[in-house]
Amino acid sequence: MPLGEGRRRRVLVADDEPYILELIVTRLELAGFDVRPSRNGQDALERLADFKPEAMVLDINMPVLDGFGVLARMKAQGLSDKVPTMVLTARNSGDDVARAIRLGARDYLAKPFKDEALIARVGRLLARPRPVARV
Amino acid sequence: MTMGPSGVEDAFVFIAEHTNDVIVRVDADGRIRFVSESARRYGYAPEDVIGTPFLRLAHPADAEALAQATAALLRGELDTALRRQHRFRAADGAWVWMEGNPHIVRGPGGDVVEIVNIFRDVTRRRELEDAATAQAELFEAAFRSVAGGIAILSPDGVVRRANPAWRRIAGRDKGEAVGLRMATVVHPEDMARVRDQARALLRGDIDSYESDERYVRPDGSFVWVRVTASCVRDAGGQPLHIVSQVQDLTAQRAAEEALRERGAQLREQAELFESSFDNAPIGMALVGTDGSFLRINDAFCRITDYPRARMLALDFQTITHPEDLNADLEQLTQLTAGVIDGYRMDKRYIRADGEIVWVHLSVSMVRNADGSPKHYVAQVQDLTERRAAEAALRGSEARYRLIADKMTDVIVQMDAEGRITWVSPSVAAYGYEPDTLLGLTTDQIVHPDDYHRIMAGRAPGSDHRGDQQARYRAADGRWVWMEGNPQEIRNEAGEITGAINVLRNVTERRAQADLFETAFQQAAIGKCLVELDSSIFKVNHTLCLMLGFPEAELLGLNGDDLMHPEERGAGDHLIAELVSGEIDSYSRERRFRKADGGYLWCGMTIAMVRNPDGSPKHYVVELRDLTEQRAAEMALRESEARYRMITENTSDMIIMSDLSGKAIYVSPNVRASGTRPEEIEGSSFAENMHPDDARQVERAFMKLVKGGGSTRVRWRARNRATGAYTWLESNPTLVRDPETGAPTGFLDVIRDIDLQVAQEAEIAEATAAAEAAAAAKSQFLANMSHEIRTPLTAVLGFTSLLSEMELPETAERYVGRISGAGNALLAIVNDILDFSKLEAGKFEIRPKPVDVATVCEETLQLFSTQAQGKGLSLAFAAQEDLPRVAMVDGDRLRQMLINLVGNAVKFSDEGGVTLTVAQAAKADWIRIEVADTGPGLDAEAQALLFQRFTQIDGSMTRRHGGTGLGLAISRGIAEAMGGEIGVTSTPGQGARFFVEIPAPASELRPELAGEEAAVARIDGTRVFVVDDNPVNRELSRRILEAAGAEVYEAGDGGEAVERLGLLPVDVVLMDLRMPGVDGRAALGMLRELAGPNQDVPVLAFTADADLAGENDLAGFDGLVRKPIHPADMYAAIAAATAWASPDEAGEIGGPANAVG
């Protein structure tokens, strides 16, 4: 999977499972993103300022500060629109999705997910598609 | 019949499962199409009877009636509520009485679809009813025909029934009798006594009583009756009614009264006469005008020394001293002529012993009313006693004269030839001049029937005074009963010279005696007269008939001989009281021996007859045959008992109430609820209802009033005795007026379901506990799976990364191993997750157009490597005309087949596995079979096979691996699809698993063909379809899901905007023309709304006709045309969601919102 030449888009990934975190980070790096890992919600919030991510992949179930907590702080600080965020949820947790959307999340992805879906969704967070209207 | 077919069906199934009645559904051709399970009770398996012509089961004698009733029902002439009883044949050939309750079920067009008949077995009920009817008829016959009056009274003395004899005695019409209070019938003077006896009877102090009392008739007259009353009680000993038997005593009483009165008169006369005549201190004689002695007293006999009999045969001339005779006759002539009133003289009598006695004679004349001489009264005083007697004489003379004048006896004197030589003037009372009779002989004036008897009585040596009663002819031809007292007259030589007879009129006495005798002999009851020593001396005909003895035999018996051994001596104390005069009579029920050795129950009454001086004379015993009465009582008791048995042995309580719920009739078995029928009658049974249930019960009842029919409703009743609540189930039916059809009330059959409710509660509790345990276990499994899957995801993810790297060959092989084992582990974990979903009911089935045959074949081929390794063959066969594409959840079908084929390969060591797919018996279903050549399964193993965590034995699990959930999950999937899964197998001959699922053919196949590329491009895409037409939404869903898209939908713009506010999707298909918020408005709102879909591509979803031009679609990101062409739809969606390829992702465009 060749890497692109230009500036790579910054993506922050927060997950408390170290192996899963590393796996996501590796996949996104292989897809050409500039990725920073974060082990919990509190850490992720702190990195927003220095890393200035253009998108974030946020696990819901985390210790210290969970995904909802992170979203709530971001909303309070007016960061929701500036850092489009996709949450990672367990299967069959529609309630979690709605709650996350209300708190400003832009998209969601249910675990376990396919590599392709992860990369496609992260791409969608970063650039609005411009389809050609065929009227 | 507002119920549709499915409503009938539901109701039907409910009833069929809940009733003991036999429900039969007969189609329009008269064939049975359904029989409830309860038919097994009569030996019929429902499946054997179905198709049989219904009438064939009916009794030949009833079949026609049944057919006619059915025809009438179909014509609408027969009220469906009218229940008919017919005989039906049980499987063993026995006939069973069934009561049908038929209902017609009609199709939408009014045509008869079937007749539903609910049969209730009434065989036992009919038997009981027949028996009760027979008993009742027996009793009725006895009641009507018995000679005596019988009335059945309520315990409070109201006439419930009265037979004709009773009504005759009481002088009441049939209509008047029933409801009559006995207080208005019994004479007021007798009432207190009757009431006391009745109370004693009701208390049970006595078994019965007999009393003589007066009944007052409506006309004010009264009648003497003898009442025998007994009490009939229910099983609990409570008096049900009093049976009163009544005998009219009027005639008997009158006869006895008259007899007593007349006897007293006669006795008085006789006593008066006897005492003044016989006991006079001087000699007295009544002397006929011819000088003969008519009557003499003891003193006269003493003076003359003649025995009375000889004296009476003589005249005074004979004993008068000849020297005194003329003077005496001279005086007498003057007396007779009325010249003198009397005369006195001293004269001599020649005594029988020949001696002469001087006496002082005083003679007076007794005349008849007409003044004619009747007889003379002579008073004779022995001159030696003269002074002593003189005073007494003077006092008695006047009195004696009076007596003599009143004498009505006729004195007849006859000569030796029997010719009448003289008749006393008193014969004038019978219309004769005495002279006209002179010269006649006895046979000329005595009734021929009596003549020989009285002549025989006059024969020498015979002295039967009673035999001297004969009918004498009066002048006017009447016959008059006279009792004679003939005496011979002898001369001094002892030769009979004639006779004298004093005749006394006994007509009246005989009439009374006849009356008594007739009453005695002809009485309806047995009577006998018994001496004080118990010997029987007179019996009547009835008694002979009752006991079967000839009269002569009875007369030789002692009363004790007839008594039942157990009762001998039982009445001794009563006899003693009778003798001592403490009581006049007593009555008891006693058994008396019959000639055939049996015993007869009799009502016995014993009374005492006394001599004039009050000393006991003999007993009068009356025996009344109680057989009929006892039979009637017995019949009555049995009828009662049987009726009670029927009503009380029904476990259901039955309450009839009016529309307000006020009870009119209450069956006795409400006692089980701690109450009594009387307490409920007239009140509303809601009074004992738990307040929380009242509204619901009232609703159920009111619903009946509106809709008719019957219903069931549960409620709690408070036990009045204990205060505890009991669960009851009411099954009320609306009762209608048979004429007008207007609702009149309810018939409620109430069942105690306390036990049932308790059991249901227990079951519900147990079920809830089991479900809670299962849910907890499922949750645990889900959690566990999740916990396992997270590290497993990492294992597989890194393995995948590793496999993308350049590795040494050995390392690459190891990575392959890790990947294989990891995926196997993931499959197991997914199995467990699926299973917990199945248990939780969260398992989703998503049918898509699938080529079932291809799925089957591909699944089989997955195992080709494994099969080859074991030397097994794999064979596939598909029915040729199967629809190529059917709506089936292909993924789940594949999951099932993997389990089945995997097992087949796993357990077969030689031979092969065959998978066949074909049309199932049901239309639009397919049947897939997987046959192996493994060890096969016995029945026990087959039963366990589809249960969770079960393999044939533990060793199999160890040997072959797997969770043991595969088949359980497969079953869950099959059932979730609405299908079924199963196995047929014989141990040693392999197993054949099958799956049958609905697989309706899909019409999408042509459009799908050749669009594989487009399908691939929208796999996993989230599409939100907005359309007010549900058909369009459903069609879109099917087309899109077929291509692997996730589909969400909304019916209008408003709903779409609301849902899209919280649900991120990849593309929206928006219909333009919708009620409410239309497509354009919805698009505007969506773009305004800050949310996950503010920038989502939105495609217009419309028909060309609805478009005004190209500019009409301003703001939309594309168009999907209707009617839908799937390929176009896929292309439009793919274009709208076209994404920079992953390798470009990190580079294109600038950061829209870089964090400052």
Side-chain angles (χ1 to χ4, degrees):
Chain A
M1 201 167 279
L3 300 179
E5 294 299 316
R7 186 182 64 81
R8 297 189 300 165
R9 314 293 290 271
R10 294 184 298 278
V11 177
L12 180 63
V13 178
D15 198 316
D16 63 316
E17 301 275 354
Y19 297 152
I20 303 295
L21 178 60
E22 189 184 344
L23 200 59
I24 295 170
V25 168
T26 307
R27 273 293 168 207
L28 290 177
E29 281 179 340
L30 288 173
F33 296 99
D34 179 6
V35 187
R36 290 291 160 82
S38 183
R39 294 285 300 279
N40 62 57
Q42 191 60 46
D43 183 61
L45 277 178
E46 285 163 10
R47 285 176 185 267
L48 286 177
D50 59 335
F51 180 57
K52 293 185 175 57
E54 292 161 89
M56 178 158 65
V57 174
L58 180 67
D59 189 25
I60 289 291
N61 297 311
M62 287 187 298
V64 185
L65 183 66
D66 70 4
F68 296 127
V70 174
L71 289 170
R73 305 273 165 97
M74 287 171 70
K75 190 171 185 179
Q77 294 169 28
L79 294 175
S80 298
D81 287 340
K82 290 180 179 169
V83 186
T85 304
M86 176 173 77
V87 292
L88 300 178
T89 65
R91 294 211 297 184
N92 305 312
S93 49
D95 290 348
D96 284 357
V97 173
R99 186 178 170 194
I101 298 298
R102 282 199 191 93
L103 287 170
R106 185 64 63 89
D107 209 341
Y108 74 99
L109 186 62
K111 284 179 174 180
F113 46 80
K114 291 178 179 171
D115 294 343
E116 296 79 13
L118 171 70
I119 292 157
R121 297 274 166 93
V122 171
R124 290 266 301 280
L125 286 176
L126 291 163
R128 191 192 307 173
R130 281 293 158 225
V132 178
R134 297 188 308 164
V135 178
Chain B
M1 280 294 170
T2 53
M3 262 196 273
S6 65
V8 170
E9 226 31 68
D10 290 349
F12 192 70
V13 167
F14 178 79
I15 293 166
E17 284 173 358
H18 287 82
T19 184
N20 290 331
D21 296 346
V22 179
I23 298 171
V24 180
R25 296 166 61 189
V26 179
D27 64 19
D29 296 331
R31 288 179 185 278
I32 296 172
R33 74 191 306 179
F34 172 89
V35 174
S36 59
E37 284 295 308
S38 45
R40 293 189 191 279
R41 191 172 303 174
Y42 303 98
Y44 290 114
E47 57 270 21
D48 295 343
V49 185
I50 288 167
T52 307
F54 175 57
L55 285 178
R56 197 178 287 169
L57 295 177
H59 192 285
D62 294 345
E64 196 182 340
L66 191 58
Q68 284 174 357
T70 305
L73 182 68
L74 291 173
R75 287 195 304 271
E77 291 167 9
L78 187 67
D79 183 358
T80 53
L82 185 64
R83 298 180 170 200
R84 298 281 175 102
Q85 298 184 355
H86 301 288
R87 280 161 291 182
F88 292 92
R89 193 178 58 239
D92 62 5
W95 294 105
V96 182
W97 277 102
M98 293 293 226
E99 183 177 82
N101 185 8
H103 296 273
I104 302 175
V105 179
R106 293 183 188 278
D111 53 315
V112 175
V113 175
E114 62 176 20
I115 297 175
V116 179
N117 209 333
I118 303 166
F119 286 102
R120 175 156 298 180
D121 189 334
V122 295
T123 310
R124 180 70 184 138
R125 193 170 91 197
R126 283 187 72 108
E127 282 172 13
L128 291 174
E129 282 172 359
D130 287 350
T133 304
Q135 293 289 348
E137 281 170 1
L138 180 66
F139 163 70
E140 197 60 30
F143 183 79
R144 298 205 154 274
S145 61
V146 69
I150 297 180
I152 295 173
L153 313 175
S154 66
D156 56 351
V158 176
V159 176
R160 282 176 174 157
R161 297 197 58 191
N163 74 346
W166 191 92
R167 297 199 299 269
R168 207 162 47 239
I169 293 168
R172 307 280 177 167
D173 289 340
K174 191 170 187 178
E176 285 176 75
V178 174
L180 204 56
R181 303 196 65 83
M182 284 310 289
T184 64
V185 176
V186 175
H187 194 286
E189 288 173 21
D190 299 332
M191 196 57 216
R193 179 170 53 86
V194 169
R195 191 174 284 133
D196 287 346
Q197 285 172 313
R199 283 178 182 155
L201 183 68
L202 290 170
R203 279 197 305 269
D205 297 350
I206 51 176
D207 291 333
S208 67
Y209 68 81
E210 184 168 285
S211 91
D212 288 358
E213 55 198 68
R214 283 161 289 182
Y215 279 5
V216 179
R217 290 173 159 158
D219 62 9
S221 68
F222 64 80
V223 53
W224 272 102
V225 292
R226 175 160 298 160
V227 174
T228 307
S230 55
C231 183
V232 177
R233 295 172 188 281
D234 67 15
Q238 290 301 309
L240 284 175
H241 45 246
I242 296 172
V243 178
S244 171
Q245 297 179 84
V246 178
Q247 193 187 339
D248 189 348
L249 294 180
T250 311
Q252 196 178 335
R253 282 251 160 184
E256 287 171 1
E257 198 65 41
L259 201 61
R260 207 161 31 239
E261 215 170 278
R262 194 68 205 154
Q265 274 180 11
L266 289 170
R267 202 155 49 237
E268 192 183 0
Q269 282 185 2
E271 277 168 7
L272 192 63
F273 178 77
E274 302 289 341
S275 62
S276 57
F277 190 92
D278 288 338
N279 300 325
I282 56 173
M284 294 186 77
L286 298 187
V287 181
T289 46
D290 61 347
S292 60
F293 292 109
L294 302 177
R295 189 177 176 94
I296 53 176
N297 71 354
D298 290 343
F300 194 82
C301 291
R302 202 162 54 241
I303 292 166
T304 59
D305 195 36
Y306 275 95
R308 181 183 305 270
R310 274 196 69 194
M311 186 84 263
L312 286 172
L314 300 175
D315 56 12
F316 77 91
Q317 297 91 324
T318 312
I319 62 166
T320 299
H321 193 283
E323 290 177 14
D324 297 330
L325 185 59
N326 283 337
D328 201 352
L329 286 172
E330 206 176 289
Q331 292 281 344
L332 196 65
T333 307
Q334 287 189 23
L335 178 66
T336 306
V339 178
I340 54 172
D341 287 331
Y343 65 92
R344 296 165 188 240
M345 62 179 291
D346 289 343
K347 62 178 275 190
R348 286 161 291 178
Y349 282 132
I350 300 163
R351 284 164 52 108
D353 58 9
E355 284 187 21
I356 293 168
V357 58
W358 274 98
V359 297
H360 180 74
L361 171 70
S362 172
V363 180
S364 61
M365 181 94 219
V366 175
R367 295 180 184 274
N368 291 314
D370 58 0
S372 60
K374 197 175 181 187
H375 52 72
Y376 305 105
V377 179
Q379 298 177 55
V380 179
Q381 190 174 14
D382 190 334
L383 280 177
T384 55
E385 299 169 12
R386 182 175 173 174
R387 275 183 195 86
E390 212 166 78
L393 177 65
R394 283 199 195 95
S396 66
E397 185 182 14
R399 200 166 65 218
Y400 184 66
R401 186 186 291 268
L402 187 72
I403 293 164
D405 284 348
K406 283 188 175 176
M407 287 280 297
T408 55
D409 294 353
V410 176
I411 301 157
V412 180
Q413 189 174 354
M414 289 160 284
D415 62 16
E417 278 72 47
R419 276 190 295 269
I420 295 170
T421 55
W422 183 83
V423 179
S424 68
S426 57
V427 79
Y430 304 100
Y432 288 112
E433 285 297 319
D435 291 350
T436 60
L437 295 172
L438 297 180
L440 297 178
T441 50
T442 305
D443 63 317
Q444 290 174 296
I445 54 169
V446 169
H447 194 285
D449 292 350
D450 302 333
Y451 176 73
H452 293 291
R453 184 164 46 77
I454 62 170
M455 294 320 285
R458 292 174 190 182
S462 170
D463 187 20
H464 290 127
R465 196 177 150 85
D467 285 349
Q468 288 302 311
Q469 291 188 355
R471 282 161 289 182
Y472 286 77
R473 194 176 61 236
D476 60 4
R478 281 182 302 128
W479 292 102
V480 182
W481 276 100
M482 305 290 274
E483 182 180 77
N485 183 16
Q487 301 291 336
E488 293 156 0
I489 303 170
R490 292 173 191 270
N491 61 14
E492 288 176 1
E495 294 158 348
I496 292 172
T497 58
I500 190 162
N501 198 359
V502 180
L503 296 171
R504 179 167 295 175
N505 188 335
V506 295
T507 304
E508 206 174 337
R509 206 170 83 199
R510 274 199 71 99
Q512 286 158 2
D514 282 353
L515 190 64
F516 175 78
E517 186 66 16
T518 306
F520 185 84
Q521 287 297 346
Q522 304 304 322
I525 59 178
K527 291 191 178 193
C528 62
L529 303 184
V530 181
E531 296 285 11
L532 296 176
D533 65 0
S534 294
S535 61
I536 298 167
F537 70 91
K538 185 174 175 68
V539 297
N540 74 347
H541 186 59
T542 310
L543 184 65
C544 297
L545 287 178
M546 275 169 63
L547 297 180
F549 286 108
E551 182 176 345
E553 203 170 321
L554 275 181
L555 288 175
L557 290 173
N558 186 294
D560 283 346
D561 297 339
L562 290 174
M563 301 285 288
H564 191 280
E566 292 172 8
E567 291 163 357
R568 249 172 236 157
D572 284 357
H573 63 289
L574 292 164
I575 293 287
E577 288 177 16
L578 203 57
V579 170
S580 69
E582 287 170 49
I583 54 174
D584 291 333
S585 69
Y586 73 91
S587 297
R588 287 291 182 275
E589 292 189 5
R590 293 272 191 264
R591 281 163 288 181
F592 287 88
R593 183 164 62 85
K594 296 195 288 183
D596 62 8
Y599 283 86
L600 185 69
W601 272 105
C602 295
M604 175 189 74
T605 302
I606 298 185
M608 185 94 238
V609 177
R610 294 175 184 279
N611 290 316
D613 63 0
S615 61
K617 191 174 177 190
H618 58 76
Y619 304 107
V620 176
V621 179
E622 296 181 352
L623 299 179
R624 200 156 27 81
D625 185 347
L626 293 182
T627 309
E628 279 184 349
Q629 179 190 340
R630 291 218 153 211
E633 285 176 8
M634 194 63 76
L636 205 60
R637 275 199 199 101
E638 282 184 24
S639 291
E640 291 272 352
R642 283 175 199 277
Y643 172 72
R644 227 176 10 252
M645 191 180 75
I646 293 166
T647 50
E648 290 181 2
N649 285 349
T650 311
S651 56
D652 295 345
M653 294 170 264
I654 296 163
I655 294 181
M656 265 185 105
S657 60
D658 62 18
L659 284 175
S660 72
K662 201 165 75 181
I664 298 162
Y665 166 81
V666 179
S667 67
N669 49 9
V670 296
R671 291 195 178 94
S673 299
T675 182
R676 283 178 289 125
E678 312 80 271
E679 287 181 344
I680 297 183
E681 268 168 32
S683 71
S684 168
F685 64 92
E687 284 172 20
N688 281 336
M689 188 177 293
H690 195 289
D692 293 353
D693 301 335
R695 182 177 292 270
Q696 184 196 353
V697 172
E698 190 187 337
R699 259 204 302 272
F701 275 68
M702 286 305 111
K703 209 171 140 195
L704 285 186
V705 177
K706 288 181 194 135
S710 68
T711 186
R712 280 174 200 264
V713 60
R714 293 180 170 190
W715 52 280
R716 285 159 286 177
R718 198 169 59 85
N719 187 312
R720 289 199 188 198
T722 66
Y725 279 98
T726 305
W727 274 105
L728 300 177
E729 184 180 68
S730 273
N731 185 7
T733 309
L734 189 67
V735 179
R736 293 179 185 278
D737 186 302
E739 305 261 311
T740 66
T744 58
F746 302 102
L747 174 65
D748 192 4
V749 179
I750 300 174
R751 182 164 296 183
D752 185 336
I753 55 162
D754 222 27
L755 200 61
Q756 187 185 337
V757 168
Q759 285 170 343
E760 284 172 3
E762 271 175 38
I763 290 168
E765 206 172 296
T767 307
E771 280 172 357
K777 189 197 64 198
S778 293
Q779 188 57 46
F780 173 76
L781 287 173
N783 292 345
M784 277 301 293
S785 306
H786 182 72
E787 294 301 321
I788 292 168
R789 201 152 58 167
T790 301
L792 192 57
T793 305
V795 170
L796 290 172
F798 283 109
T799 307
S800 174
L801 284 172
L802 201 55
S803 67
E804 288 165 19
M805 298 173 73
E806 300 245 343
L807 295 171
E809 196 182 323
T810 314
E812 201 169 312
R813 197 169 69 244
Y814 292 167
V815 168
R817 297 274 193 277
I818 294 166
S819 178
N823 279 310
L825 183 55
L826 184 61
I828 289 169
V829 171
N830 284 340
D831 263 5
I832 293 172
L833 263 180
D834 280 347
F835 180 72
S836 57
K837 270 190 184 178
L838 277 170
E839 291 239 303
K842 290 179 183 168
F843 204 83
E844 278 181 275
I845 298 294
R846 296 183 171 186
K848 302 171 187 173
V850 167
D851 184 339
V852 174
T854 305
V855 170
C856 290
E857 187 167 15
E858 284 174 1
T859 308
L860 184 66
Q861 293 310 321
L862 287 177
F863 292 89
S864 57
T865 314
Q866 206 178 329
Q868 268 176 3
K870 293 181 78 173
L872 300 172
S873 64
L874 292 180
F876 173 78
Q879 191 179 322
E880 279 188 6
D881 54 351
L882 272 184
R884 281 200 59 194
V885 179
M887 292 303 291
V888 169
D889 187 330
D891 292 340
R892 295 303 185 187
L893 174 60
R894 191 177 292 112
Q895 194 177 352
M896 276 195 291
L897 295 180
I898 286 171
N899 276 319
L900 297 182
V901 177
N903 281 341
V905 171
K906 201 188 287 179
F907 291 108
S908 298
D909 292 328
E910 52 184 11
V913 174
T914 307
L915 191 154
T916 56
V917 55
Q919 192 78 43
K922 292 178 216 171
D924 288 338
W925 280 51
I926 54 163
R927 179 182 175 94
I928 301 165
E929 291 190 354
V930 178
D932 65 42
T933 52
L937 299 153
D938 60 22
E940 194 184 350
Q942 288 175 33
L944 287 171
L945 203 55
F946 293 95
Q947 291 180 13
R948 63 189 78 145
F949 300 113
T950 304
Q951 286 187 333
I952 298 170
D953 60 45
S955 66
M956 284 293 202
T957 311
R958 286 191 292 278
R959 188 174 141 208
H960 298 289
T963 54
L965 285 174
L967 288 175
I969 290 169
S970 297
R971 189 182 71 168
I973 293 169
E975 287 172 356
M977 287 176 162
E980 58 177 313
I981 190 168
V983 65
T984 55
S985 177
T986 308
Q989 294 176 27
R992 182 176 290 265
F993 286 80
F994 67 88
V995 174
E996 282 197 10
I997 52 171
S1002 167
E1003 291 147 12
L1004 296 175
R1005 174 64 193 172
E1007 287 80 13
L1008 282 170
E1011 297 296 334
E1012 298 299 325
V1015 170
R1017 272 187 282 152
I1018 66 164
D1019 184 27
T1021 303
R1022 295 170 294 184
V1023 183
F1024 197 100
V1025 179
V1026 188
D1027 200 309
D1028 62 328
N1029 185 338
V1031 175
N1032 281 342
R1033 293 202 304 271
E1034 179 60 21
L1035 188 60
S1036 303
R1037 170 182 285 279
R1038 288 188 177 191
I1039 292 169
L1040 293 169
E1041 284 184 345
E1046 283 178 40
V1047 179
Y1048 305 91
E1049 53 187 72
D1052 66 64
E1055 183 193 346
V1057 172
E1058 188 185 332
R1059 288 193 58 200
L1060 287 168
L1062 290 174
L1063 180 72
V1065 297
D1066 296 317
V1067 65
V1068 176
L1069 299 189
M1070 183 75 79
D1071 185 20
L1072 294 184
R1073 284 160 56 102
M1074 287 184 293
V1077 180
D1078 69 11
R1080 289 184 182 81
L1083 174 62
M1085 290 162 76
L1086 198 58
R1087 295 300 184 220
E1088 291 293 311
L1089 190 71
N1093 296 308
Q1094 193 170 19
D1095 299 320
V1096 75
V1098 179
L1099 307 182
F1101 186 36
T1102 187
D1104 284 342
D1106 290 333
L1107 294 173
E1110 289 198 17
N1111 293 335
D1112 199 26
L1113 283 175
F1116 285 95
D1117 298 302
L1119 171 67
V1120 175
R1121 285 189 169 82
K1122 295 178 191 170
I1124 304 167
H1125 294 282
D1128 293 348
M1129 183 184 246
Y1130 298 151
I1133 289 170
T1137 56
W1139 197 242
S1141 60
D1143 50 349
E1144 294 173 298
E1147 297 164 26
I1148 60 161
N1153 293 298
V1155 177

